[in-house]
């Protein structure tokens, strides 16, 4: 009998506006009221303001493709940051580029808030009438104008960036190949890089959560739709590709 439901967010659980709504939240609540457990499993960082915006406070949360797991109280159950030496070398090569460095509580950026807003607009983000989403909502969990030391002094769990320049893309791929024993790239879109520790993925994180809950793998049902869900979908007998 299934005891735990685990779902990806974008493209799976969330609506077309990439938000929860009354139907989604009521369904999650119904799952819990009937004695089941629910967890997200997402590439998103799920920092405080984003969790509040999505109203997912009372769920288990697997975030950043499995490198961080928190319980409904926000306590860390598992974490696997990127190797610190790897971060230092990355900063020497690519510091100043528009990369997001996700820690457990904030996303650090080397550029200004105004520059990030322009990036969102250039990337096609549109504030749609009737939608609660605003660019500044996404930026509430950011810290801007961060220097190298600011970043080095935090555990970094994920590095995100969008790169269209082919030369820089090759430099990134070369860096990833050099550190292939330490990091993995699990991008959600073309020209997007999403670096995390190689030791983990969503499937591994679900296994860790099952161990914490003292449940067998036959007790979980997982849902996903993208490349970063493949390990999770393939590891458990009850899996649904959306």
């Amino acid at each position: 009998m299934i005891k735990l439901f685990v779902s990806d967010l974008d493209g799976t659980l969330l609506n077309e506006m990439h938000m929860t709504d009354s139907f989604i939240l009521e369904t999650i609540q119904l799952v819990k009221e009937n004695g089941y457990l629910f967890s997200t499993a997402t590439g998103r960082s799920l920092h405080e303001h984003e969790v509040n915006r999505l109203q997912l406070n009372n769920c288990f949360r697997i975030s950043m493709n499995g490198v961080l797991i928190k319980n409904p109280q926000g306590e860390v159950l598992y974490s696997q940051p990127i190797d610190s030496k790897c971060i230092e070398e990355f900063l020497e090569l690519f510091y100043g580029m528009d990369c997001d460095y996700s820690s457990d509580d904030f996303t650090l950026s080397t550029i200004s808030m105004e520059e990030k807003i322009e990036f969102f607009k250039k990337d096609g983000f549109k504030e749609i009438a009737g939608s609660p989403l605003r660019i500044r909502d996404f930026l509430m969990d950011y810290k801007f104008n961060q220097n190298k030391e600011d970043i080095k002094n935090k555990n970094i769990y994920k590095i995100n960036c969008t790169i269209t320049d082919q030369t820089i893309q090759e430099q990134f791929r070369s860096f990833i190949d050099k550190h292939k024993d330490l990091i993995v790239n699990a991008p959600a879109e073309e020209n997007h890089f999403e670096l995390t520790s190689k030791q983990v993925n969503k499937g591994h994180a679900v296994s860790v959560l099952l161990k914490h809950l003292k449940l067998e793998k036959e007790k979980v049902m997982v849902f996903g739709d993208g490349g970063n869900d493949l390990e999770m979908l393939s590891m458990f007998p009850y899996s649904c590709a959306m």
Side-chain angles (χ1 to χ4, degrees):
M1 179 177 170
I2 303 300
K3 293 295 293 180
L4 171 66
F5 293 90
V6 179
S7 180
D8 171 51
L9 292 183
D10 297 282
T12 304
L13 181 70
L14 302 184
N15 61 28
E16 66 277 4
M17 292 183 179
H18 299 278
M19 286 289 295
T20 53
D21 54 35
S22 59
F23 176 78
I24 293 168
L25 295 172
E26 287 169 8
T27 301
I28 294 173
Q29 184 60 31
L30 186 63
V31 166
K32 294 165 62 180
E33 286 177 357
N34 281 275
Y36 302 101
L37 300 169
F38 180 80
S39 177
T40 65
T42 180
R44 293 192 185 203
S45 298
L46 289 187
H47 292 139
E48 180 182 2
H49 289 99
E50 183 170 35
V51 170
N52 291 337
R53 186 172 68 248
L54 295 174
Q55 299 182 59
L56 294 172
N57 315 64
N58 297 320
C59 304
F60 287 93
R61 301 188 289 276
I62 295 171
S63 61
M64 295 185 263
N65 291 329
V67 300
L68 190 65
I69 306 174
K70 292 185 178 181
N71 66 15
Q73 292 74 42
E75 299 165 335
V76 175
L77 302 179
Y78 173 85
S79 66
Q80 181 60 61
I82 299 173
D83 179 82
S84 60
K85 296 294 184 183
C86 191
I87 293 293
E88 289 180 12
E89 185 175 340
F90 184 91
L91 289 169
E92 291 304 316
L93 292 171
F94 303 113
Y95 177 78
M97 288 183 54
D98 182 12
C99 295
D100 292 342
Y101 302 85
S102 294
S103 69
D104 60 345
D105 51 0
F106 285 99
T107 296
L108 310 181
S109 176
T110 61
I111 65 175
S112 66
M113 177 183 287
E114 291 73 21
E115 289 173 307
K116 180 60 74 173
I117 290 173
E118 288 305 310
F119 168 80
F120 271 91
K121 292 178 178 178
K122 188 182 297 184
D123 200 43
F125 187 103
K126 295 180 180 179
E127 296 186 345
I128 303 170
S131 169
L133 287 181
R134 296 292 181 266
I135 291 177
R136 290 182 183 273
D137 291 337
F138 283 97
L139 305 183
M140 293 180 71
D141 289 309
Y142 273 76
K143 285 190 174 182
F144 294 101
N145 300 310
Q146 300 291 288
N147 59 40
K148 291 181 182 179
E149 292 305 312
D150 293 327
I151 298 169
K152 289 178 184 179
N153 288 333
K154 298 288 286 185
N155 282 329
I156 302 300
Y157 294 93
K158 186 176 68 165
I159 302 174
N160 270 11
C161 54
T162 299
I163 302 171
T164 56
D165 185 283
Q166 290 189 351
T167 300
I168 300 177
Q169 283 186 358
E170 287 305 313
Q171 292 173 351
F172 260 66
R173 292 190 182 100
S174 177
F175 177 84
I176 294 167
D177 185 64
K178 178 181 177 181
H179 298 283
K180 59 186 177 183
D181 293 333
L182 295 173
I183 57 174
V184 65
N185 180 35
E189 301 174 1
E190 186 179 3
N191 299 326
H192 189 72
F193 289 81
E194 195 164 310
L195 309 183
T196 58
S197 172
K198 186 177 181 179
Q199 300 174 35
V200 291
N201 53 58
K202 289 185 183 182
H204 173 270
V206 173
S207 295
V208 172
L209 182 56
L210 286 173
K211 184 176 181 179
H212 171 78
L213 296 171
K214 296 180 172 58
L215 296 174
E216 301 82 16
K217 66 179 182 180
E218 292 80 14
K219 301 292 187 181
V220 63
M221 180 175 285
V222 298
F223 301 81
D225 76 310
N228 61 355
D229 298 313
L230 291 177
E231 292 89 352
M232 178 175 72
L233 293 170
S234 64
M235 285 177 65
F236 303 101
Y238 299 106
S239 61
C240 297
M242 309 298 285

